[in-house]
Amino acid sequence: MNIPSHIFTIFGASGDLTKRKILPALFHLFAEGRIGPDCIIVGTGRKQMDDETFRDLTLEALAEAGFGGGENAAKWCTGCIFYHCLGDGSPENYKRLGERLAGLEKEHGLPGNRAFYLALPPDAFPQVIENIGEAGLADSGGWSRLVIEKPFGRDLDSALRLNEHIHRWFEEDQIYRIDHYLGKETVQNLLVFRFANAMFESIWNRDRIDHIQITVAESLGVEHRARYYDKAGAVRDMVQNHIAQLLTMITMEVPGRFEPRAIMREKVKVLRSIMPLQPGDIVLGQYDAGDGKPGYRDEEGTGEDSITPTFAAIRLHVDTWRWKGTPIYIRTGKRMPVKTTQISVVFEHPPVCFFRAMEGCTPRPNILNISIQPDESFTLSFDVKKPGEPFTLESQDLHFSYADTFGRLPDAYETLLLDIMTGDQTLFVHADEVEASWKFFEPALDHGLPLARYAAGTWGPDEVAELLLREGRTWSVRQGG
Ligand code: BG6
């Protein structure tokens, strides 16, 4: 793949995301020869430091990510890494940044292609975007692209305002809204699984599928991110974005072409056709102490009366010809027993129970389990006859594991960064998608819904089992690889 020469400017260069994700991913792309020395990285921020200090910080970040010590890292830092201090963030300072970028372009013979990556807290987005726009940083003779991390707004109104604000300086085809779930190989593989294999398509509907479950469980708590998380909570942090992406990919119709607009249109159609949420479809929870871990309200940076949900489960119905009557259950939470992201597609029971007269022979529904992480795999369960007597059925698995077949998978950020550089928007979130998603999940935001309690290290509040039980179903989660 040919990556055009460009400058990749990171706003928030000394922040956590830059250190943990962006710099290691950029370096790994360089080390593998996917990007060359004509991809110049400029870190910016309010902190006063020179190029050398930022290069040292970069080396530290690489070491922490397991890429330390090599000559290659030192070579990359010296040749490709620069820093520019934005001081008080005034328009004049952005003009100076423009001069610095132009200077680097001249020095390295670059054609003026620029990416601006906002690795910043969301309340900083509007001002920084305005400063970039007003200082003309995006008018440099080549392409210019704006990259924005989630959360994109905190509800429909704020997302609409932010989109309008950005569109004053950037066209939609210049905007790359990141949802890092879309960079995960297994999430992209949902498209391949569904649209490159004819086998499942004819049964991918309400006639053959009883229901679908999406589980995104994390064993960690809120860690050091309470300042952000306490204002966000589980619905804003995970459901409106990551889970909405999984949901649309698993339920959308076949797009006309493998092309960003066509895929986006199908995803938006799903979001717009979900039946409005009712309070009875939503369970919110917050963790108390348990399993030797503190409760949410005792974590550093939260309040003793915080009502931020750290768990959310929702039952929803996609009201289309394909899905009418097939419920979809989603759940996500912090401080669950394990870290796992899974989609379970639970097929219908056989229409007639042929073996009903025999004890131990009640057939179970087939379940297709798609494990997104940490053990990226597909598992299809089906019943077999257990050899010998008495006549008994046993559930067995057909299993495909990514790691066994392909080894290391690229980090989501590596995939997304390359796409930004090549101008491929397929794995990014369009304005219409963000808006449709906020609109749908709005009733699960702060509207005085009850907040159930659960102990850290459990699968959430008791009420969450009820969401399925009252329809005769149970949550399923696959253990192991
Ligand atoms: C982030 C959320 O977007 O995704 C975090 O802000 C969450 O709270 C993280 O922990 C989960 O990502 P992953 O890739 O580890 O599932």
Side-chain angles (χ1 to χ4, degrees):
M1 200 186 322
N2 207 359
I3 306 292
S5 316
H6 66 282
I7 296 191
F8 193 96
T9 305
I10 307 171
F11 293 82
S14 51
D16 194 49
L17 180 72
T18 307
K19 276 191 263 175
R20 273 188 316 107
K21 292 289 184 187
I22 305 175
L23 289 171
L26 285 169
F27 171 67
H28 195 240
L29 291 174
F30 176 79
E32 289 209 319
R34 319 272 310 264
I35 60 174
D38 55 350
C39 167
I40 298 297
I41 320 293
V42 177
T44 68
R46 295 195 168 197
K47 261 196 195 146
Q48 185 69 51
M49 65 177 132
D50 57 14
D51 290 342
E52 277 316 314
T53 315
F54 185 54
R55 286 174 187 151
D56 289 344
L57 288 180
T58 304
L59 286 172
E60 270 171 38
L62 298 187
E64 273 170 39
F67 294 126
E71 232 177 73
N72 221 5
K75 189 174 125 203
W76 183 59
C77 283
T78 323
C80 305
I81 300 279
F82 300 87
Y83 184 81
H84 185 85
C85 173
L86 283 170
D88 61 359
S90 63
E92 295 70 45
N93 276 314
Y94 275 76
K95 286 250 154 61
R96 263 175 233 130
L97 171 61
E99 288 157 16
R100 180 85 197 272
L101 296 182
L104 284 166
E105 276 160 358
K106 199 158 171 218
E107 196 180 314
H108 293 264
L110 306 178
N113 296 328
R114 295 178 179 178
F116 304 100
Y117 195 123
L118 271 46
L120 294 166
D123 48 6
F125 293 165
Q127 190 58 58
V128 173
I129 292 165
E130 180 172 337
N131 287 345
I132 293 174
E134 290 300 314
L137 302 190
D139 312 317
S140 50
W143 50 251
S144 54
R145 297 176 186 148
L146 181 73
V147 189
I148 311 179
E149 274 288 336
K150 67 164 264 281
F152 195 89
R154 53 177 287 106
D155 52 20
L156 178 60
D157 268 5
S158 52
L160 284 167
R161 269 186 273 121
L162 186 54
N163 275 333
E164 200 182 303
H165 183 76
I166 300 174
H167 287 148
R168 286 167 63 191
W169 297 281
F170 291 89
E171 302 287 336
E172 191 57 31
D173 64 7
Q174 296 177 282
I175 306 168
Y176 291 70
R177 295 179 194 79
I178 290 213
D179 181 317
H180 78 276
Y181 265 53
L182 288 174
K184 292 182 193 275
E185 286 286 320
T186 25
V187 174
Q188 294 169 56
N189 195 44
L190 289 175
L191 293 180
V192 178
F193 178 82
R194 289 197 52 206
F195 305 136
N197 298 296
M199 181 178 159
F200 283 103
E201 181 52 25
S202 61
I203 54 172
W204 209 252
N205 58 47
R206 67 197 155 97
D207 295 331
R208 292 286 172 262
I209 294 178
D210 178 74
H211 72 281
I212 298 175
Q213 301 181 13
I214 301 177
T215 298
V216 183
E218 296 188 88
S219 48
L220 292 179
V222 69
E223 307 305 296
H224 51 279
R225 297 169 66 227
R227 218 181 111 232
Y228 147 75
Y229 193 89
D230 205 45
K231 286 197 220 119
V235 179
R236 291 190 173 87
D237 188 49
M238 298 296 287
V239 177
Q240 181 272 339
N241 30 67
H242 305 326
I243 295 189
Q245 289 299 334
L246 299 179
L247 167 73
T248 51
M249 289 241 196
I250 205 83
T251 54
M252 72 182 183
E253 295 301 321
V254 189
R257 286 180 305 285
F258 186 55
E259 183 260 327
R261 288 265 161 171
I263 297 175
M264 179 277 289
R265 270 196 295 271
E266 293 306 331
K267 292 205 261 174
V268 170
K269 272 194 219 160
V270 171
L271 291 166
R272 290 189 181 151
S273 55
I274 311 178
M275 310 252 281
L277 284 178
Q278 305 301 325
D281 297 326
I282 307 164
V283 176
L284 300 179
Q286 188 189 68
Y287 62 83
D288 287 327
D291 202 20
K293 307 285 188 323
Y296 178 76
R297 289 174 176 172
D298 298 322
E299 302 265 20
E300 201 189 321
T302 65
E304 58 185 28
D305 49 2
S306 167
I307 50 163
T308 301
T310 58
F311 176 95
I314 293 175
R315 177 187 41 198
L316 55 93
H317 286 95
V318 179
D319 199 23
T320 57
W321 189 285
R322 186 190 284 266
W323 293 116
K324 180 92 191 164
T326 298
I328 299 175
Y329 304 95
I330 61 184
R331 63 175 166 169
T332 183
K334 297 223 179 262
R335 285 267 190 256
M336 309 262 96
V338 287
K339 176 168 176 71
T340 185
T341 300
Q342 305 189 10
I343 301 173
S344 296
V345 179
V346 182
F347 290 89
E348 292 283 351
H349 277 86
V352 174
C353 185
F354 183 57
F355 305 102
R356 65 180 170 273
M358 296 174 215
E359 211 175 303
C361 290
T362 314
R364 281 154 286 249
N366 302 111
I367 300 181
L368 172 68
N369 180 279
I370 304 169
S371 174
I372 309 288
Q373 59 183 8
D375 55 316
E376 295 90 352
S377 62
F378 284 77
T379 308
L380 180 62
S381 74
F382 58 101
D383 279 351
V384 295
K385 179 185 176 296
K386 197 170 167 195
E389 294 298 326
F391 195 103
T392 320
L393 305 188
E394 193 174 278
S395 193
Q396 287 294 329
D397 292 339
L398 272 177
H399 183 64
F400 160 75
S401 150
Y402 256 87
D404 293 351
T405 309
F406 298 115
R408 179 194 182 268
L409 298 180
D411 179 75
Y413 274 87
E414 289 173 28
T415 308
L416 297 173
L417 292 177
L418 270 188
D419 284 355
I420 294 162
M421 295 171 186
T422 53
D424 182 347
Q425 286 186 303
T426 313
L427 302 178
F428 295 84
V429 187
H430 189 276
D432 292 357
E433 237 174 307
V434 182
E435 290 168 14
S437 180
W438 277 124
K439 191 166 180 194
F440 171 69
F441 287 111
E442 178 84 29
L445 299 175
D446 326 294
H447 300 294
L449 290 168
L451 187 68
R453 317 294 315 169
Y454 65 100
T458 66
W459 283 103
D462 295 343
E463 290 81 342
V464 77
E466 271 301 303
L467 209 57
L468 273 77
L469 259 188
R470 61 180 183 237
E471 289 168 347
R473 302 181 174 108
T474 52
W475 289 100
S476 80
V477 78
R478 209 188 118 76
Q479 309 278 350

